[in-house]
Amino acid sequence: QVQLVESGGGLVQAGGSLRLSCAASGRTFSKYAMGWFRQAPGKEREFVAAISWSGGSTYYADSVKGRFTISRDNAKNTVYLQMNSLKPEDTAVYYCAAISVLTLATMMRPTRYDYWGQGTQVTVSS
């Protein structure tokens, strides 16, 4: 069982930065790959980024590539999402999620993730 709690969201101007954190409970955190998703009002939840259990492999949606960086610290049971050059279209609720088997076929599909956090709001003003 893994419980996830996101933090770090807020209001920022376009071009600014935020760092989201996702703290996990449970001794099995390091066995899970992790992903970040986001959901804007009236839209489906969409994949943002994912990282393997070791941190050795990372994946990004085209819309955030070059601006966002996902990382993890297994000693602290935490995964991060550094968001730079934020745009108004990045406004959404951001969720972290844990997945036991990360593949190119599964990482973008919310239904394949095993555990979810409650989400943190990110609002980017123009």
Side-chain angles (χ1 to χ4, degrees), residues 36-102:
W36 284 97
F37 286 76
R38 66 187 181 186
Q39 189 166 18
K43 295 188 177 181
E44 294 186 350
R45 192 166 297 190
E46 67 171 351
F47 170 78
V48 174
I51 188 167
S52 61
W53 67 269
S54 68
S57 296
T58 57
Y59 309 89
Y60 298 94
D62 288 343
S63 60
V64 306
K65 201 171 294 182
R67 300 189 297 121
F68 290 11
T69 303
I70 189 171
S71 61
R72 67 188 296 163
D73 185 339
N74 286 342
K76 295 183 178 180
N77 279 12
T78 302
V79 63
Y80 305 97
L81 186 68
Q82 177 67 45
M83 306 186 295
N84 298 329
S85 302
L86 283 161
K87 304 175 181 180
E89 52 263 44
D90 295 318
T91 295
V93 177
Y94 283 70
Y95 300 89
C96 68
I99 185 170
S100 55
V101 180
L102 185 72

